[in-house]
Each structure stands twice: as structure tokens, then as C-alpha cells.
Amino acid sequence: MQDGNIAGQSFFFVGVGGSGMMPLAMILAGRGATVSGSDRGLDQGRVPAKFADLEAKGVRLFPQDGSGIVSADQIVVASAAVEPTVADMVAADRLGCRRMSRAELNAALFNASRLPIGVAGTSGKSTVTGMIARILHDAGLDPTVMNGAVMKDFAAADRPFASALVGEGDPYVSEVDESDGSIALYAPRIAVLNNVSLDHKSLDELNVLFGDFIGKAGMAIVNAGNPDAAALAMRLPRDRVMTFALGGEADLTPVDIQEQPFAVSFSLRGTRIRLNVPGKHNVANALAAIGAALAAGVSFEAAAAAIGRYTGLKRRFDLVGEAGGVAVIDDFGHNPDKIAATLATLHAFPGRLLLLFQPHGYGPLKTMRSELVDTFAQGLGADDLLVLPDPVYQGGTVTRDVTSADIVRDISVTGGNARHIADRAAAAAHLVANARAGDRIVVMGARDDTLPLLAADMVAQLRARDNVA
């Protein structure tokens, strides 16, 4: 499929509300395609505002009962998580519809663009993608952007779920996913490799995937502070690599990092930059984005100014509200690296942490068990409290070899203060009941778009509690 023949084509997304599916549906609709879709969350009445936003952008929605797939001309887009027994898939098979995965469709759009910029790495992909979007947009390059998270910079009352930009310029900026191996489909002109660490695959598998990815690029922007990423960069010709790191030898290295509770500042090439997002990990993310922008032809001065206007992503250390001196933060932390970065950012300042971590599946919990336990054992303060409800489960066959209770038991053996409360609402209520002024409540997890609603409800519970008191 070529970029130029999107207009007039008909696409049906099975699971159109997914974080990787929704922005693609927006991009196709914005480019003149006929787009429709279904979603289990729509049928269950979950997050109705999200589906209203899709409809406002011209995406027609159907129940997930096969009724929306009526023609062999429809291209049916579905993730691997959608079972072949789902009514929409049965209808697609019956009619002989062409099938594409989410990654195949995104890669086709990406590879057909004039300036494909791919953002890879175990952690920070969405943030770096959002930062690049801000810089390229402000520089007048009018990028198309495919992000897995809502970009606050581009969200508005009529665009509450701005996880995509539809531009007329050369750049197509997208995060690319290593978890299912689909990163191999992408041919970037500019490739960012933020880091390599354990998540869905072994480090050996990840190094092959990431190494092949940056090897295709005309310019690779690589985190030299990450040992595996630095080793992969060493394989490339020096004129095809730009490195960044928080310390040591790199092309982009910050000095005089000053942290604040919800911001961080640093100097780079003699210019002082203040980010409106906290943590040293976001300094590294900013360096990656600046490097990609330089490779795209943006001046350093324009990139440095634009990154200072970046306001963050929904669910990335997102301050939801405060009540009674307690701050509630919603965060996407779900693998050891992301969780460690969030804990380090929070512990840079005083205050007890009350954490609700909802694992994003039984499979990842089994893969990351020892690393998760180590991360929490090292990152929890003596007064902190961690509560784990049961993992996300959205249907299908799954083995439950490792559970939240197992993780809690392992952490408790190390001396960490952790509890398993199976029901998520009960887990949230327990943290609210125990919160006191100066505490930070953090809701952590992935693959569940109701977590922001839970965080907002916890703010409401705190306010109601204080009013009663």
C-alpha cells in the first residue's frame, strides 16, 4: 500500500480504541480514507469520551458483532490480540477482506513517507515521539505523528485524545514496537534508540531487533549511556551516529541538571533549557528528541526553544489533582526501567509514596518477575506502601503461572512494604484511607485506559474524605 492511494480506500479497525489503533484511524481519516471500527470497550461502555472523539473525526463505530464488515473492499486492521473467533474476524474471513496488522499498516505509511523518523527503545518512546512532534511542529515542518499516548501539546476541547497529528510536511514520526517483533517492518531515515532493557523479550532478542533497526537508518540517534545501545551504535559508521548521554563521552551531554518536583533544567551547548516534565530520564529523552530534530535539519536554537514548550503526555508522570496535601499522579510505568525512573524522580523530593501498580498481563509478570521485584525492593522507601491488584485481563486464554500475590510475597521477603488486594477499587480505597498530607499517590500500569479514570476517582475520594473530616 502506497501513501498516495489512501484517499477513497475503506478501512475497518477491530479494536479501534486501542492506544496504537486510535491514532492510525485518525491519520487515515485525516487523509481522506473511509474509516470505521469496533471495540470491546465501546460495547462495554468504557471511556465513552474516547469513542465520541473518534466519531467527531469521521470514524464510524459499530458493535463488535460483525455488522460493520459488509464488503470485500474493506481492509480489516486488527492486532494479534484479537482472537479469530471474534465476530468481526469471522465476517472478514467470510467476505475475503484483505487483512493487515496495526504494525503493517503503520509501517506502510511510515516507509512511504518522505522523511520517516522512527523512535525505538524499551522505555521513553512515546515521550521522545511527543518531544520530536513539538520541535518539528514549531519549526514549521508540519509533521504527521503516530504516538501511543495523548500529546498534551496538541490536545484541546475538540481534540481531547490527540495521539496523532496529520500534517502535510515530509516527516512521519512514529514510535515503533519491539514487543511483537514488528520493528523489523520499518525502514527509518532517522532512527532513535533510547535504551535497551528487559521488557517483553530477552536482551539477546532485543539487541538483534534494535541493531537491525538502527542499521537501516541514514542517521541513528543512540543513547550512549545505555550499555547495550552503545554497543549497537559501535557497529555503525561514525558519520551515521549521533550519541547522547547524561554523562561521559557523547555528542549531546547536559551539564548542571537541576531537578524540581514537576520540572527539570539543564544546560546544553551553552544554552539553558527548562523542561516542564520532571526527572533525569526526561533530560535523556529531550536529548534524543533534539538529536532527531538536528538530523531532520532543525537548528539547535529552534530545537532548544521548542523543547522548553513541551508540556508532556497523558499518563506519563501526569499530575491528576491534589486534595488535602496529597498529590495523585497517573503514570504509565509498567516495566522495571519505567518504574525505576518514576521512583527515582519521586524520591528526589521528600514525601511518602503510596503506589498502586496494576500489572499489564500475566505473561509480562512471569517474564519480568525477578526484575520487577528487584526494582521495587531497591526503589521503595522505608515508609512507602505498594499495593498490587490482580493483573489486567481482557479476555482470551492465559496461563496464570505468576500472580500479583507472588510478586508481593517476593517483595515482602526483601523487607518491602507491599500488599496484594485483588480488587482494584478496594486497592485504591486502601491507599486513599491511608494517605496523609505530603504523600504522593501514584497509579501505575499499562494496557488499561480506565486507569486515568481511577486516578481521577481517587482525587475525588480524597476531597470527599477531607470534606467529611
Side-chain angles (χ1 to χ4, degrees):
M1 185 184 66
Q2 296 299 311
D3 198 22
N5 64 5
I6 294 298
Q9 290 200 41
S10 180
F11 295 84
F12 189 95
F13 285 73
V14 184
V16 69
S19 62
M21 300 279 267
M22 186 171 179
L24 273 179
M26 292 175 175
I27 290 170
L28 291 178
R31 291 184 171 183
T34 298
V35 184
S36 53
S38 67
D39 197 277
R40 187 158 33 197
L42 173 68
D43 294 348
Q44 295 169 350
R46 301 168 68 201
V47 199
K50 176 169 66 175
F51 297 105
D53 191 33
L54 277 169
E55 287 186 308
K57 290 178 171 60
V59 177
R60 190 176 177 194
L61 300 177
F62 291 86
Q64 203 167 81
D65 59 4
S67 61
I69 299 178
V70 295
S71 168
D73 294 333
Q74 289 172 290
I75 299 172
V76 176
V77 184
S79 73
V82 177
E83 301 89 352
T85 54
V86 169
D88 287 342
M89 307 309 290
V90 173
D93 288 343
R94 185 179 69 250
L95 292 170
C97 297
R98 180 183 173 189
R99 295 268 299 277
M100 294 186 82
S101 69
R102 179 201 63 79
E104 287 169 343
L105 174 57
N106 188 41
L109 297 171
F110 180 92
N111 294 340
S113 69
R114 292 179 292 274
L115 181 57
I117 302 173
V119 181
T122 316
S123 300
K125 292 187 292 289
S126 298
T127 296
V128 174
T129 300
M131 288 177 165
I132 295 172
R134 180 77 211 216
I135 296 171
L136 299 187
H137 175 271
D138 287 10
L141 297 185
D142 197 17
T144 294
V145 181
M146 212 302 297
N147 204 333
V150 175
M151 297 175 282
K152 291 182 182 180
D153 289 342
F154 305 105
D158 61 338
R159 297 191 308 275
F161 293 88
S163 55
L165 290 182
V166 184
E168 298 294 333
D170 289 351
Y172 188 107
V173 186
S174 179
E175 58 174 297
V176 297
D177 190 8
E178 79 287 347
S179 66
D180 59 0
S182 63
I183 187 174
L185 300 173
Y186 295 83
R189 181 90 57 81
I190 299 170
V192 176
L193 179 54
N194 218 27
N195 45 55
V196 182
S197 60
L198 191 68
D199 192 344
H200 301 275
K201 293 182 177 295
S202 71
L203 283 176
D204 288 343
E205 290 177 288
L206 290 174
N207 278 311
V208 170
L209 290 169
F210 289 137
D212 289 347
F213 176 71
I214 63 173
K216 298 175 185 176
M219 180 60 71
I221 318 300
V222 181
N223 183 0
N226 177 268
D228 287 87
L232 293 175
M234 293 291 288
R235 301 178 187 175
L236 301 179
R238 187 65 186 91
D239 62 353
R240 286 174 50 202
V241 181
M242 185 186 308
T243 57
F244 65 92
L246 294 182
E249 294 293 322
D251 297 317
L252 298 172
T253 305
V255 296
D256 190 24
I257 298 174
Q258 300 288 332
E259 294 192 70
Q260 300 172 34
F262 291 95
V264 64
S265 61
F266 60 97
S267 292
L268 183 67
R269 294 185 177 179
T271 297
R272 194 69 187 166
I273 297 171
R274 183 183 186 276
L275 301 179
N276 295 303
V277 289
K280 291 181 179 178
H281 63 292
N282 274 320
V283 176
N285 290 335
L287 298 176
I290 290 170
L294 295 175
V298 178
S299 71
F300 173 76
E301 292 75 18
I307 201 75
R309 294 187 287 268
Y310 171 77
T311 57
L313 304 176
K314 292 285 190 182
R315 299 225 61 232
R316 299 321 190 264
F317 208 94
D318 192 6
L319 178 62
V320 177
E322 297 182 74
V326 179
V328 178
I329 297 164
D330 186 23
D331 190 71
F332 191 64
H334 63 282
N335 66 34
D337 263 17
K338 290 184 174 73
I339 293 167
T342 296
L343 295 180
T345 299
L346 288 160
H347 277 306
F349 298 91
R352 192 171 61 138
L353 305 185
L354 304 181
L355 308 172
L356 187 152
F357 171 56
Q358 178 180 268
H360 60 290
Y362 287 94
L365 204 56
K366 182 177 179 180
T367 301
M368 299 185 292
R369 178 175 182 170
S370 62
E371 290 78 9
L372 272 176
V373 171
D374 289 345
T375 298
F376 281 119
Q378 295 169 19
L380 288 173
D383 295 328
D384 296 342
L385 171 62
L386 169 66
V387 174
L388 270 72
D390 285 342
V392 173
Y393 175 68
Q394 294 173 339
T397 303
V398 63
T399 58
R400 306 187 182 196
D401 296 337
V402 178
T403 67
S404 293
D406 294 323
I407 302 300
V408 165
R409 188 161 48 247
D410 291 352
I411 294 170
S412 297
V413 168
T414 72
N417 186 14
R419 290 193 62 181
H420 171 228
I421 300 178
D423 179 72
R424 192 179 76 176
H430 179 74
L431 292 184
V432 168
N434 281 274
R436 56 179 184 258
D439 289 349
R440 282 81 50 84
I441 293 177
V442 189
V443 175
M444 308 176 87
R447 293 184 186 170
D448 186 344
D449 51 16
T450 66
L451 285 170
L453 303 179
L454 177 71
D457 184 62
M458 293 174 82
V459 175
Q461 289 182 46
L462 287 166
R463 288 175 178 156
R465 184 194 71 174
D466 291 345
N467 287 339
V468 170

